[in-house]
Amino acid sequence: MPNKLISIGKAAKLLGVSIDTLRRWDLARRLPSIRSGLRGHRYYRQSDIDQFLQDVHSIAKKWVEDLEGSVPEQEIYCPTRDVFQARLEHFQLELARIAPIDTVSLITAVAGEIGNNSFDHNLGNWPDIGGVLFSYNLQNKSVVLADRGLGILATLKRVLPELNSADEALKVAFTKTVSGRFPETRGNGLKFVRTIIIDNPFTLYFQTGDAYLYLKQDESDVIIQPAKTPIRGCFAIIRL
Amino acid sequence: MIIRLKKFGNTLVSRTSGKEAWLAFQPTLNGIPDSEDVVVDFSDVVVLTPSWADEFLTPLQEQFGDRAKLQNSDNPSVIATLDILTKNKVVAT
């Protein structure tokens, strides 16, 4: 029922923001509410929430596509790792209300690896805007992560100088254990992400530069495709 | 001795927090007699990733070898993390 009215509390949960944030967005007409009842409580059309959530994906994509960097909305922006950790834990709690603990554990681990990867590989080297855009939608069960970092090619080229394109780098990142943080002997993060996605009913879209991959359950092949529009850094959508 | 990982948090995901946990725990680890096992207990850990584990469990394993043992490691992200740490070999250092 796309035009069903939902309470501000439910809308806040679906959007992963606080009720105060929704009140501010209402005043700013960013996401207008519908006032109803004698006391004028705020309600939201389901269709408006759906549209807004779709917009968040678009906002994230546009953020990494823009040639010039800008600071995203505070509600979806994690400028430091500490902020990301706090929001990830909040996401974990919210997800636990609608999903079994195994799903919560695995999806939070995937989002945590992708988000922390952005900080690990760009610390001190962010080209313009540092940090990670992190947003989730509990209704259509998706998580978006984006950064305007160096991207996987530049990161891996430090240890594998023979890499020449984003598609080669993306394939290596998801299939071989190699750390872009020389001389650290690590680099399991994206292989871990891949294993979880193909072993569970989840999907992952992951783009870096002008290349992307799409992973889903039981499809172990890593097929890299050219992206329509190149991006700065990395952009990921996880669906559960 | 038993190391209860939940004392470091329920969501153990970042490399930096793993490293911090390892450093903070050094005084305790240094006091363990040579004859004693070190048991890592994963009870109540909801989320574990290879990034955190690489900074804590890998050096623990290196330091204590066969004396390092794991228990209550049945959470799915714990299983996936331990699996990938065991399987994968690093190709570039």
Side-chain angles (χ1 to χ4, degrees):
Chain A
M1 284 204 299
N3 287 323
K4 186 177 75 170
L5 290 182
I6 60 174
S7 70
I8 189 168
K10 187 167 181 201
K13 281 201 181 104
L14 290 172
L15 295 169
V17 300
S18 69
I19 288 175
D20 281 345
T21 296
L22 280 187
R23 289 189 182 121
R24 274 204 311 280
W25 287 357
D26 189 15
L27 289 173
R29 309 308 290 164
R30 185 174 169 216
L31 181 61
S33 70
I34 292 165
R35 298 295 188 124
S36 184
L38 288 175
R39 300 178 67 183
H41 288 307
R42 287 176 169 91
Y43 289 88
Y44 292 85
R45 279 192 198 94
Q46 186 70 57
S47 56
D48 287 348
I49 299 295
D50 292 345
Q51 181 59 46
F52 187 85
L53 289 166
Q54 196 55 49
D55 289 348
V56 172
H57 287 201
S58 308
I59 288 167
K61 193 78 192 285
K62 186 174 181 308
W63 183 62
V64 286
E65 285 175 355
D66 280 350
L67 292 178
E68 205 160 306
S70 59
V71 176
E73 292 276 344
Q74 192 188 333
E75 286 79 10
I76 54 174
Y77 179 46
C78 305
T80 65
R81 200 194 293 269
D82 289 344
V83 175
F84 177 66
Q85 176 78 20
R87 292 197 173 157
L88 186 72
E89 289 185 23
H90 182 71
F91 162 71
Q92 181 187 321
L93 289 174
E94 292 291 316
L95 185 58
R97 294 173 201 266
I98 62 157
I101 189 66
D102 284 9
T103 301
V104 174
S105 172
L106 294 172
I107 288 290
T108 309
V110 166
E113 269 295 346
I114 292 175
N116 275 298
N117 228 24
S118 296
F119 288 103
D120 290 341
H121 293 298
N122 292 291
L123 196 61
N125 283 310
W126 295 103
D128 50 24
I129 308 297
V132 167
L133 187 156
F134 173 48
S135 177
Y136 51 89
N137 173 350
L138 294 177
Q139 191 175 26
N140 74 12
K141 297 183 179 170
S142 65
V143 182
V144 177
L145 293 132
D147 75 69
R148 289 182 59 87
L150 299 165
I152 290 180
L153 175 60
T155 306
L156 286 187
K157 226 174 156 43
R158 295 170 187 155
V159 287
L160 296 174
E162 66 273 22
L163 289 176
N164 280 317
S165 63
D167 66 335
E168 287 173 8
L170 192 52
K171 184 137 194 167
V172 169
F174 274 85
T175 55
K176 294 192 175 145
T177 302
V178 46
S179 173
R181 294 194 0 154
F182 178 83
E184 270 183 4
T185 55
R186 314 283 193 243
N188 292 308
L190 294 176
K191 268 68 61 184
F192 170 79
V193 165
R194 176 177 160 228
T195 303
I196 288 180
I197 300 290
I198 63 178
D199 285 348
N200 292 279
F202 310 143
T203 66
L204 172 71
Y205 172 95
F206 192 102
Q207 183 178 346
T208 181
D210 59 2
Y212 78 89
L213 57 73
Y214 182 74
L215 298 177
K216 65 178 186 178
Q217 189 172 25
D218 296 334
E219 289 196 5
S220 56
D221 289 347
V222 175
I223 299 165
I224 313 293
Q225 309 266 16
K228 213 186 297 175
T229 312
I231 60 161
R232 300 291 177 105
C234 300
F235 174 80
I237 300 178
I238 308 157
R239 290 188 193 277
L240 59 145
Chain B
M1 80 165 296
I2 297 178
I3 304 174
R4 298 190 193 282
L5 285 192
K6 68 176 178 185
K7 294 187 177 182
F8 298 101
N10 304 111
T11 308
L12 306 174
V13 295
S14 79
R15 200 177 280 280
T16 46
S17 68
K19 194 171 278 184
E20 181 61 24
W22 174 248
L23 292 174
F25 212 57
Q26 284 310 296
T28 310
L29 292 175
N30 290 337
I32 297 174
D34 289 346
S35 56
E36 196 174 324
D37 283 347
V38 178
V39 179
V40 180
D41 187 309
F42 293 87
S43 307
D44 298 325
V45 170
V46 181
V47 186
L48 180 72
T49 68
S51 289
W52 195 95
D54 262 339
E55 301 296 342
F56 192 94
L57 297 181
T58 303
L60 190 83
Q61 183 82 45
E62 283 164 8
Q63 187 170 330
F64 291 93
D66 291 343
R67 289 164 56 209
K69 303 187 188 312
L70 311 178
Q71 72 180 26
N72 297 318
S73 53
D74 53 351
N75 170 284
S77 64
V78 171
I79 292 169
T81 294
L82 296 177
D83 195 41
I84 205 150
L85 291 189
T86 310
K87 267 188 200 157
N88 280 336
K89 297 222 182 299
V90 170
V91 298
T93 57

